[in-house]
Amino acid sequence: MLQNKKSFIAVIGGSQCSAKEAKLAEEVGRELARQGAILVCGGLGGVMEAACKGASSEGGITIGILPGDSHRAANPYVQVPIVTGLGYARNIVVVKSAQAIIAIGGSYGTLSEIGHALQNNIPVIGLNTWSLSRNGKQDSSIIPAENPTEAVTKALNLATNQ
Amino acid sequence: MLQNKKSFIAVIGGSQCSAKEAKLAEEVGRELARQGAILVCGGLGGVMEAACKGASSEGGITIGILPGDSHRAANPYVQVPIVTGLGYARNIVVVKSAQAIIAIGGSYGTLSEIGHALQNNIPVIGLNTWSLSRNGKQDSSIIPAENPTEAVTKALNLATNQ
Amino acid sequence: MLQNKKSFIAVIGGSQCSAKEAKLAEEVGRELARQGAILVCGGLGGVMEAACKGASSEGGITIGILPGDSHRAANPYVQVPIVTGLGYARNIVVVKSAQAIIAIGGSYGTLSEIGHALQNNIPVIGLNTWSLSRNGKQDSSIIPAENPTEAVTKALNLATNQ
Amino acid sequence: MLQNKKSFIAVIGGSQCSAKEAKLAEEVGRELARQGAILVCGGLGGVMEAACKGASSEGGITIGILPGDSHRAANPYVQVPIVTGLGYARNIVVVKSAQAIIAIGGSYGTLSEIGHALQNNIPVIGLNTWSLSRNGKQDSSIIPAENPTEAVTKALNLATNQ
């Protein structure tokens, strides 16, 4: 049986990604599993698949919140597929189901999720991702991390403070 | 680690329910867990809570797909809370995340879920629930079950055929 | 300019329908326009298209809340296409955007909309549509109408009382 | 009766805004109405209300796609309230219902809408809004405008090319 008090951490990023992003995501997934967190993601390929692969390799739990109509679209490392049929409106469900978010890389879907998370006061940790400014002034809401271990540590610290 | 090939069965019913409905739901939850299925529900009280309580008591996994903005609204037996913030549009996510559905009792939210399930060709098993007719002619899409064990057996048989 | 105080009435029914249902829907659309109501629907074919056609023929306003990703899927009589990309989760948006609902015919999507409407205390008027019972007892929440004019009159009376 | 071939342009921005942003939004609304476009927005206050006020003052049509459960939350200049009950998942419906988007100011909800729009290849024109970079490199997807008239002209040009 799963324990009630685990942290749910979302890993967000493109369904297509570079080899470097995939490596970061896989290591983030592994580290989340080692620290007992449950991985939430959008359930598809790219960053999502790499993170799920990493988490699974360490015995972690992976939840994939899918945009389409079939659980068959989930990557092979998703253990709990949630089938929304909502298209990319499911992005906000990924965000809200997590206590903190780790963003990897820079797709526009990821940007929408960062916006939804910050709007909901859910901490966002960034690894090689978007940086934001408005009216020429830097916005520092995305908390930078140097590497996967630091990203996971920051995410778990901020999650447990909620 | 969860296994990939488990069946996901939704139990739907009112967030308030009679003692009789709660007893049916709890026994459905227990039987789903005994047979290794994962329970999907809307995560709140009434039929949902009773089903989660039954599943938990037999070591089963429970997923609660919540309408509101906080995982704190989940009943205490939900192990995997999905926080949608979608209001009752989350009903369709409950339905689509399951391979078959067991409907208990007769709230209008349950009726909306039955409609969504039948529209998506997801089998619906009924225990003391709605019956439907159109233009005076009985519609037999809801498959009746006499008791919780029969409901679970029918749900799993139909789920594995998909 | 549209006036602020108009009633918004949804016409719901299958995207495929019988000639009889289409005739009923077209007359409902015409009567809604004559009485100055704005027609809300799901924007597709069948009952929705017939109702929009009727409303347009009398100079009425038609809103189509579409499930897919393009306004091009709207029937040719939709003047205000709302593009949700939500799939059939859009059904609840159709319902909530109306002050009363007229259900024609008996698709399962229509059944989901009836459930959502009754859950939200939005009056449902039925023309040749579903009838409901639970545990063998008739549920009389769907208000029957004998013909399109009666359906529109009942819908507008109930809408203005909200 | 509305004409079928009008452009639908979304104006997005915070539900609270500065006096300067309100002035920009109102002028954008006026200019959209003068050029015959239909204004789509999230239906609430701040930038949304100012844009609707401007459009209404020139006889334009305004659509407000609301997050909550009641049309009463709409600002007084919304003529067509769409009641989603979806919370901020309604942001993607605002975006998808438009052929181009004008972003004013810098709330996080606006950022989520910019992300959804760019993911869907819907042009985004920016007035005093976010600017984006990834991995230290400027992203130029948001098309800058110097003033409301330029923003509307660019939005309509890009909308008609779709």
Side-chain angles (χ1 to χ4, degrees):
Chain A
M1 196 176 115
L2 299 176
Q3 292 161 9
N4 262 325
K5 300 293 175 182
K6 293 202 180 250
S7 293
F8 289 75
I9 306 294
V11 177
I12 62 175
S15 60
Q16 298 187 318
C17 72
S18 68
K20 184 186 170 188
E21 289 165 350
K23 209 178 151 215
L24 289 170
E26 191 174 337
E27 183 52 26
V28 163
R30 266 198 297 266
E31 189 62 22
L32 284 169
R34 282 183 207 121
Q35 303 214 16
I38 292 174
L39 170 64
V40 180
C41 73
L44 301 179
V47 162
M48 299 170 262
E49 179 164 348
C52 288
K53 186 180 176 189
S56 290
S57 74
E58 295 282 339
I61 304 281
T62 59
I63 300 171
I65 300 175
L66 296 157
D69 289 323
S70 170
H71 63 94
R72 292 193 186 85
N75 73 60
Y77 308 102
V78 168
Q79 295 160 27
V80 180
I82 304 294
V83 183
T84 71
L86 296 169
Y88 291 97
R90 76 78 154 85
N91 291 8
I92 200 170
V93 182
V94 174
V95 163
K96 292 196 147 190
S97 296
Q99 280 119 40
I101 284 168
I102 299 171
I104 299 171
S107 77
Y108 292 122
T110 304
L111 183 64
S112 77
E113 291 168 315
I114 290 171
H116 283 304
L118 296 175
Q119 186 181 25
N120 284 279
N121 294 314
I122 297 170
V124 178
I125 320 298
L127 268 173
N128 289 48
T129 190
W130 294 98
S131 61
L132 310 171
S133 57
R134 32 184 170 184
N135 298 327
K137 202 176 148 189
Q138 186 73 18
D139 176 289
S140 55
S141 304
I142 302 175
I143 299 159
E146 293 297 315
N147 56 57
T149 307
E150 186 186 330
V152 169
T153 302
K154 286 184 169 178
L156 287 172
N157 281 341
L158 290 161
T160 51
N161 290 336
Q162 291 205 305
Chain B
M1 198 176 112
L2 299 175
Q3 291 160 8
N4 263 324
K5 300 292 176 183
K6 292 199 182 252
S7 292
F8 289 75
I9 307 294
V11 177
I12 62 175
S15 60
Q16 299 188 316
C17 72
S18 67
K20 182 185 171 189
E21 288 165 352
K23 205 175 155 218
L24 289 171
E26 191 174 337
E27 183 54 26
V28 164
R30 266 198 297 267
E31 188 63 22
L32 283 170
R34 282 182 207 121
Q35 303 214 16
I38 292 174
L39 170 65
V40 180
C41 73
L44 301 178
V47 162
M48 298 169 262
E49 180 164 348
C52 287
K53 186 179 177 189
S56 289
S57 74
E58 295 282 339
I61 304 281
T62 59
I63 299 171
I65 300 176
L66 296 157
D69 288 324
S70 170
H71 63 94
R72 292 193 186 86
N75 73 59
Y77 308 102
V78 168
Q79 296 160 25
V80 180
I82 304 294
V83 183
T84 70
L86 296 170
Y88 292 97
R90 76 76 154 88
N91 290 9
I92 200 171
V93 181
V94 173
V95 163
K96 291 195 148 192
S97 295
Q99 279 119 41
I101 284 167
I102 300 171
I104 299 171
S107 77
Y108 293 122
T110 304
L111 183 65
S112 78
E113 291 169 314
I114 290 171
H116 283 304
L118 296 175
Q119 186 181 25
N120 284 279
N121 294 314
I122 297 171
V124 178
I125 320 297
L127 268 173
N128 288 51
T129 191
W130 294 100
S131 62
L132 310 171
S133 58
R134 34 185 169 184
N135 298 327
K137 201 176 149 191
Q138 185 73 19
D139 177 288
S140 55
S141 303
I142 302 175
I143 300 158
E146 292 297 314
N147 56 58
T149 307
E150 186 185 329
V152 169
T153 302
K154 285 184 170 179
L156 288 171
N157 281 341
L158 290 161
T160 51
N161 290 337
Q162 290 204 305
Chain C
M1 197 176 110
L2 299 176
Q3 292 161 9
N4 263 325
K5 300 292 176 184
K6 292 199 181 251
S7 292
F8 289 75
I9 307 293
V11 177
I12 61 174
S15 59
Q16 298 188 318
C17 72
S18 68
K20 183 186 173 190
E21 289 164 350
K23 207 175 155 219
L24 289 170
E26 191 174 338
E27 184 53 26
V28 163
R30 266 198 298 267
E31 189 62 23
L32 283 170
R34 282 183 207 120
Q35 304 215 17
I38 292 174
L39 169 64
V40 180
C41 71
L44 300 179
V47 162
M48 300 169 259
E49 180 164 349
C52 288
K53 187 180 177 189
S56 290
S57 74
E58 295 282 340
I61 304 281
T62 59
I63 299 171
I65 300 177
L66 296 157
D69 289 322
S70 171
H71 62 94
R72 294 194 184 85
N75 73 60
Y77 309 101
V78 168
Q79 295 160 27
V80 180
I82 304 294
V83 182
T84 70
L86 296 171
Y88 291 96
R90 76 76 154 88
N91 290 8
I92 199 170
V93 182
V94 173
V95 164
K96 291 196 146 189
S97 295
Q99 280 119 42
I101 285 168
I102 299 172
I104 300 171
S107 78
Y108 293 122
T110 303
L111 182 65
S112 77
E113 291 169 315
I114 291 171
H116 283 304
L118 295 176
Q119 186 181 25
N120 284 279
N121 293 315
I122 298 170
V124 178
I125 321 299
L127 269 172
N128 289 48
T129 190
W130 293 100
S131 62
L132 309 172
S133 57
R134 33 184 168 185
N135 297 329
K137 201 176 150 191
Q138 185 74 18
D139 175 288
S140 56
S141 305
I142 302 175
I143 300 158
E146 293 297 314
N147 56 58
T149 307
E150 185 186 330
V152 169
T153 302
K154 287 185 169 178
L156 288 171
N157 281 342
L158 290 161
T160 52
N161 290 337
Q162 291 204 303
Chain D
M1 195 176 112
L2 299 176
Q3 291 162 8
N4 262 324
K5 301 291 177 183
K6 292 202 181 249
S7 291
F8 290 76
I9 307 293
V11 177
I12 61 174
S15 60
Q16 297 187 319
C17 71
S18 68
K20 184 185 170 190
E21 289 165 351
K23 208 176 151 216
L24 289 171
E26 192 174 338
E27 183 53 26
V28 164
R30 268 198 296 267
E31 189 62 22
L32 283 170
R34 284 184 206 120
Q35 303 215 17
I38 292 174
L39 170 64
V40 180
C41 72
L44 301 179
V47 162
M48 298 170 261
E49 179 163 350
C52 287
K53 187 180 177 189
S56 289
S57 74
E58 295 283 340
I61 305 280
T62 59
I63 299 171
I65 300 177
L66 296 157
D69 288 323
S70 171
H71 63 95
R72 293 193 186 85
N75 73 60
Y77 309 102
V78 168
Q79 296 159 27
V80 180
I82 304 294
V83 183
T84 70
L86 296 170
Y88 292 96
R90 76 80 154 86
N91 291 9
I92 200 169
V93 181
V94 174
V95 163
K96 292 197 147 192
S97 295
Q99 280 118 41
I101 284 167
I102 299 172
I104 299 171
S107 77
Y108 292 122
T110 304
L111 183 65
S112 77
E113 291 169 316
I114 291 172
H116 283 305
L118 296 175
Q119 186 181 25
N120 284 279
N121 294 313
I122 298 170
V124 179
I125 320 298
L127 269 171
N128 289 49
T129 191
W130 294 99
S131 62
L132 309 171
S133 58
R134 34 185 167 183
N135 298 327
K137 204 176 147 190
Q138 185 74 19
D139 176 288
S140 55
S141 304
I142 302 175
I143 299 159
E146 293 297 315
N147 55 58
T149 308
E150 186 186 329
V152 170
T153 303
K154 286 185 169 178
L156 288 171
N157 281 342
L158 290 161
T160 51
N161 289 336
Q162 292 204 303

